[in-house]
């Protein structure tokens, strides 16, 4: 499209027969045909899984979800590798005609994350289902990661510079919104692994003040700094007239001005949803018995890990226009602040899983039960 054949080229495949195979590129370049092809491939994959497994694994419906999504993860990895020039000739037509916004730096980064991190999580959860083991923690991390990825991606497409290029293939993203919501409900309904802790041990842990728990004091300090940075970047993308905001967006993170709108959407989600969660986390680290914190810390750990990977990669990627790329003289400060921003929620989730006694209800009836579901 728009490219003339080079010297010595005819523009046709060597085996092309005029009048027989020539219409195929036009057929394949139709966005509606691309969308229908994707739907048919997914439906066929589900049918194959059902007949091969004989329905044995379908006692857990999430098995089918993870297998189908693992297939799409491989497709996303192929897209990212092709857009970065490592391979060629696989999905060029689909990306160009169906979802051109995948050619942006942000689109490439989320495809890398989906094709590597999500794919690994899918394989681990599929293996856990096959061995009848719990995958609840992995599932909650995956849930947060996928939801953050798809929400920022969809909103950026709708309000950014690619809003006029949306095609029917855009509807292929809807299952990534609806299915994770349903999967999240099922994951939260799964029984938790009960720790082997006596009521006395739980009471002893919950009697400790914050100053008696230096690790938690450190986490509270990290969360306070992270919350302040979240609020600051939210004000930056809201065009705060303060000199510090003006200097930051032009000299430290010019990617926040990129008209693709992904970074602006990301910072607003941080400000209006992640910032209140940080405040709740501080509350949960000060007062005992917040049993909701371990689960939700995993969800937000996955969400922020994915978001920071995409934001970091997009800020430095060559596909981002040069005026919006991070200046070389601030690379290290930019990397340090954003890596630390992503590390805080991971440390919080690890702390909640490693020593859950402080977050258990004061007198749970199930404390005498062993690790029944592990």
């Amino acid at each position: 499209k728009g490219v003339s054949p080079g010297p010595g080229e005819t523009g046709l495949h060597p085996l092309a027969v005029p009048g027989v195979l020539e219409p195929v590129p036009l057929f394949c370049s139709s966005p509606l045909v691309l969308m229908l092809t994707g739907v048919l491939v997914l439906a066929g994959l589900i049918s194959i899984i059902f007949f091969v497994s004989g329905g044995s694994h379908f006692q857990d419906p999430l098995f089918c979800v993870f297998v189908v999504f693992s297939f799409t993860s491989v497709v996303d990895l192929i897209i990212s590798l092709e857009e970065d020039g490592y391979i060629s000739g696989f999905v060029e037509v689909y990306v160009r005609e169906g979802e051109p916004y995948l050619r942006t730096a942000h689109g490439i980064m989320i495809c890398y994350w989906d094709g590597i991190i999500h794919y690994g999580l899918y394989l681990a959860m599929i293996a856990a289902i096959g061995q009848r083991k719990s995958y609840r923690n992995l599932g909650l991390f995956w849930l947060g990661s996928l939801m953050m990825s798809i929400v920022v991606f969809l909103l950026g497409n709708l309000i950014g510079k690619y809003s006029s290029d949306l095609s029917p293939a855009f509807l292929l993203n809807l299952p990534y919104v609806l299915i994770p919501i349903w999967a999240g409900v099922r994951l939260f309904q799964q029984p938790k692994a009960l720790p082997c802790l006596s009521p006395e041990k739980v009471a002893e842990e919950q009697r400790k003040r914050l100053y008696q728990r230096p690790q938690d004091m450190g986490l509270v300090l990290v969360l306070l700094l992270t919350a302040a940075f979240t609020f600051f970047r939210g004000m930056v993308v809201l065009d705060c007239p303060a000199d510090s905001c003006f200097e930051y967006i032009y000299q430290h993170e010019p990617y926040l001005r990129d008209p693709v709108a992904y970074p602006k959407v990301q910072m607003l989600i941080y400000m209006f949803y992640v910032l209140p969660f940080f405040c709740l986390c501080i509350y949960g680290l000060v007062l005992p018995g917040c049993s909701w914190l371990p689960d939700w810390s995993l969800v937000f750990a996955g969400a922020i890990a994915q978001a920071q990977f995409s934001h970091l990669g997009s800020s430095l990627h060559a596909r981002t226009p040069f005026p919006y790329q991070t200046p070389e003289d601030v690379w290290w400060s930019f990397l340090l602040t954003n890596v630390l921003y992503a590390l805080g929620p991971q440390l919080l989730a690890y702390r909640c899983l490693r020593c859950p006694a402080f977050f258990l209800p004061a007198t749970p009836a199930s404390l005498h039960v062993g690790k029944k579901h592990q």
Side-chain angles (χ1 to χ4, degrees), residues 25-262:
L26 296 176
F27 176 80
C28 293
S29 64
S30 170
L32 181 59
V33 171
L34 289 171
M35 184 193 73
L36 294 177
T37 302
V39 172
L40 291 176
V41 169
L42 292 180
L45 182 61
I46 294 175
S47 302
I48 292 172
I49 296 169
F50 181 82
F51 286 112
V52 170
S53 65
S56 59
H57 291 97
F58 281 75
Q59 295 177 359
D60 188 341
L62 289 181
F63 173 81
C64 180
V65 172
F66 297 148
V67 170
V68 173
F69 278 15
S70 66
F71 167 77
T72 60
S73 292
V74 174
V75 175
D76 283 345
L77 183 59
I78 293 173
I79 291 174
S80 58
L81 292 174
E82 182 162 325
E83 290 302 317
D84 272 343
Y86 296 106
I87 58 176
S88 62
F90 288 90
V91 289
E92 179 183 357
V93 173
Y94 173 76
V95 174
R96 184 181 70 241
E97 302 293 340
E99 296 191 83
Y101 31 80
L102 289 175
R103 313 187 83 168
T104 63
H106 183 85
I108 294 172
M109 288 298 107
I110 65 172
C111 285
Y112 272 124
W113 183 270
D114 192 44
I116 298 174
I117 304 301
H118 286 168
Y119 184 66
L121 290 173
Y122 293 138
L123 294 183
M125 291 186 288
I126 289 171
I129 293 174
Q131 299 173 8
R132 300 187 181 280
K133 294 182 179 179
S134 175
Y135 58 92
R136 191 174 187 273
N137 291 340
L138 288 175
L140 292 176
F141 186 91
W142 161 80
L143 176 67
S145 175
L146 184 62
M147 289 301 295
M148 178 66 81
S149 174
I150 196 62
V151 168
V152 174
F153 183 62
L154 293 182
L155 291 178
N157 293 336
L158 290 173
I159 69 174
K161 71 175 185 179
Y162 286 94
S163 59
S164 60
D165 297 332
L166 298 182
S167 68
F170 182 74
L171 299 177
L172 288 173
N173 294 294
L174 291 181
Y176 280 90
V177 178
L178 302 177
I179 294 179
I181 294 175
W182 167 76
V185 173
R186 293 193 62 90
L187 286 169
F188 275 102
Q189 290 176 345
Q190 290 184 6
K192 295 183 180 181
L194 300 176
C196 286
L197 294 172
S198 65
E200 293 77 13
K201 177 66 176 178
V202 174
E204 177 186 356
E205 187 68 22
Q206 295 187 356
R207 279 196 300 266
K208 294 180 180 179
R209 302 294 183 182
L210 182 61
Y211 64 86
Q212 297 174 306
R213 295 176 279 122
Q215 293 181 348
D216 289 351
M217 284 188 64
L219 273 176
V220 168
L221 178 61
V222 169
L223 291 174
L224 285 172
L225 294 174
T226 306
F229 189 51
T230 302
F231 179 78
F232 174 73
R233 288 203 294 189
M235 297 303 295
V236 167
V237 298
L238 289 175
D239 297 326
C240 176
D243 292 341
S244 58
C245 295
F246 181 84
E247 178 184 355
Y248 186 83
I249 199 170
Y250 278 93
Q251 298 184 14
H252 293 273
E253 285 199 57
Y255 178 59
L256 297 178
R257 299 186 291 114
D258 196 325
V260 293
Y262 301 122

Side-chain angles (χ1 to χ4, degrees), residues 304-342:
I304 296 173
Q306 187 282 327
Q308 286 300 105
F309 173 84
S310 300
H311 183 69
L312 273 169
S314 301
S315 300
L316 304 174
H317 199 277
R319 283 288 177 88
T320 298
F322 181 76
Y324 306 121
Q325 292 182 18
T326 302
E328 292 186 8
D329 57 339
V330 297
W331 269 14
W332 289 112
S333 61
F334 169 76
L335 289 173
L336 182 62
T337 53
N338 281 276
V339 168
L340 291 178
Y341 188 94

